[in-house]
Amino acid sequence: MGIRRCRVVTPLLAAVVATVIVSLMGGAASAATRYWSNRSGNCTGSFRSTTCWATSSIGFTGSTVPVAGDLVHFDNTTTVGCTLDQNVNIGTLTTTVYAGTITAGAFGVTV
């Protein structure tokens, strides 16, 4: 009789392999962080306008509009009001000393 060899996969190795597989398959998208801003000076006030969104509090505008799961911030870097012109689904909504107005009208925000 010969010696039989068995492979034992440790839980750590299994977790690493699973992580690599998920990464290669695209995995879940990470939430983006978006700041309401008029740093570029051309914010239209429309929620769905890229001219009003930045990737940092002091960043220039032109970022993508927030989508489901994104972290949205309104802070003291602008007083330009935000008008919702579509229903909005985001991950979080944070206001920090924001002096502008967020106008929802007939549209809603889902957080």
Side-chain angles (χ1 to χ4, degrees), residues 6-72:
C6 296
R7 291 187 184 177
V8 177
V9 178
T10 64
L12 177 60
L13 180 58
V16 169
V17 170
T19 301
V20 170
I21 290 170
V22 169
S23 295
L24 292 174
M25 293 174 63
S30 297
T33 301
R34 294 291 177 260
Y35 290 83
W36 183 255
S37 176
N38 191 31
R39 174 94 189 229
S40 299
N42 60 350
C43 176
T44 64
S46 166
F47 183 90
R48 64 180 165 180
S49 174
T50 61
T51 63
C52 301
W53 294 106
T55 58
S56 71
S57 181
I58 58 171
F60 286 96
T61 56
S63 297
T64 57
V65 174
V67 295
D70 286 352
L71 314 175
V72 175

Side-chain angles (χ1 to χ4, degrees), residues 76-96:
N76 64 347
T77 59
T78 186
T79 58
V80 172
C82 175
T83 301
L84 300 183
D85 43 10
Q86 64 184 29
N87 287 318
V88 175
N89 185 354
I90 54 179
T92 64
L93 174 63
T94 305
T95 58
T96 310

